[in-house]
Amino acid sequence: MHKKKQIVFVNQSSGYLMIDILEAFDDIYEERILITGYLNPREKNLGQKVILKKMIPYDRSSSFKRLMTWSMGFLKAVWLIKTRYRDADLFLVTNPPFTTFIPLLCSNKYKLLIYDIYPDALVEFSYFKKESKVTKVWEKVNRKVFKKAQKVYTLTEGMKSRILNYTSEENIKVVPIWTENEFLKPIEKSVNPFIIERKLEDKFIVMYSGNLGKSHPVEIMVELAKLCKNPKIHFMIIGGGDKYNLLDQKITDANLSNITLQTWMPTQEIPQSMNAADIGVVTLGKEATDISIPSKTFNLFSVAKPILAICNKEAALADLIKRNKCGESFPPDEIQNILDFINRLHSEKELHKYYASNSLKTSLLFTKENAKSFL
């Protein structure tokens, strides 16, 4: 088969998903270029034939730094495409959010991968008003850019319904993200270094591990720790983001000893930390019900963890958990029901085993074969 010449991928924060997508295009293009600010390969190496070009890494430590790094990353991508890759095909990921503006400035053919829907997400989190000039202009740009894309990819049916505001149904394809069973595998707690080093062998651990951002109602972990009377149950939060200091203060003010907060784990230790959980917690604020689905959900499948999803009942996340019988979901205001569920999984070993087994089975439904759907 005759290969096309070049394809450029733009994704400010890249990991195993991007590497799998790049690999899928190996037989289609002579040259693959990745423009990124941060590459976390875990145990997957970026193919030697992939050309890596750097942009500024995404910095989420403040709203100003978010905007600055988004803008600088966008400008670097535009400069590289216009000066070096004028004739290349483009694969544009909404990271940074301004990536979808690139086709306004470049004449290349392109595909779009919509991880987060903008400006919708920024409106939902009150950065912009729905009626604002910025929102109206951005929506107008989306209609123009999405319509001319060779294909628009997104993650869920809920996200697809939002994107229908910008382009026709036949131009949209839903491709669920996937997990990485080669890197994340079940580990027995009795031999897990994470458990042993922290002397947590006799604890039943309810863990949230991930971004502590505005779209995640992680504060509920502190409330659960306050209400929980079972000394064998320990809550753990691992991550970083806007809410880290807030959570730290709440734990200190309440003088809680049954909850631990710590910053991000090194990549090589993620399998041990995720396997330390007896229940994996996934949260999603009401604002993000149909514009996002946390990727950590799929990683928890790989390590065979029952999942406690804290989200609206109509969220795609809740449907995923219910359909695959790997846990339960609750709105954040049902705190007593959430605590009852935790206590039930602690006491009912067979139920815990049932959910854990179903999670591992579900991981086999979301593999890197999905990456071929972008071809």
Side-chain angles (χ1 to χ4, degrees), residues 336-353:
Q336 187 57 53
N337 289 337
I338 295 170
L339 188 57
D340 290 345
F341 174 69
I342 293 170
N343 283 316
R344 188 151 51 96
L345 283 193
H346 174 252
S347 60
E348 298 180 26
K349 306 304 181 189
E350 286 304 312
L351 180 62
H352 185 277
K353 184 177 179 180

Side-chain angles (χ1 to χ4, degrees), residues 34-148:
L34 173 62
I35 304 175
T36 188
Y38 173 71
L39 180 64
N40 183 4
R42 294 185 176 176
E43 290 189 337
K44 292 191 172 196
N45 293 320
L46 187 66
Q48 290 185 350
K49 293 187 292 182
V50 176
I51 298 170
L52 185 64
K53 298 293 182 180
K54 299 305 289 287
M55 64 165 68
I56 189 170
Y58 172 47
D59 188 337
R60 59 169 59 126
S61 62
S62 71
S63 295
F64 172 77
K65 288 182 179 179
R66 277 195 180 92
L67 181 60
M68 183 188 71
T69 53
W70 282 346
S71 301
M72 293 179 67
F74 164 74
L75 292 172
K76 179 66 175 291
V78 170
W79 180 79
L80 283 169
I81 292 166
K82 289 186 73 68
T83 59
R84 301 188 187 184
Y85 305 114
R86 285 178 174 270
D87 299 321
D89 291 343
L90 305 179
F91 191 100
L92 306 175
V93 182
T94 50
N95 183 13
F98 308 140
T99 300
T100 51
F101 293 2
I102 289 175
L104 297 178
L105 304 170
C106 305
S107 58
N108 309 61
K109 294 179 181 178
Y110 60 94
K111 295 179 178 181
L112 301 175
L113 173 53
I114 311 299
Y115 275 155
D116 297 287
I117 305 170
Y118 297 101
D120 302 48
L122 298 175
V123 171
E124 295 287 352
F125 296 117
S126 301
Y127 286 105
F128 299 128
K129 292 185 181 299
K130 176 66 177 174
E131 304 77 20
S132 73
K133 183 73 172 178
V134 172
T135 301
K136 294 299 181 186
V137 170
W138 201 325
E139 289 176 341
K140 186 176 181 180
V141 168
N142 281 356
R143 292 186 185 98
K144 181 176 181 179
V145 171
F146 285 33
K147 182 179 180 181
K148 292 184 177 181

Side-chain angles (χ1 to χ4, degrees), residues 17-31:
L17 295 169
M18 196 73 250
I19 292 173
D20 287 339
I21 294 170
L22 282 156
E23 185 179 305
F25 280 82
D26 183 28
D27 293 332
I28 310 298
Y29 288 88
E30 292 178 6
E31 199 168 69

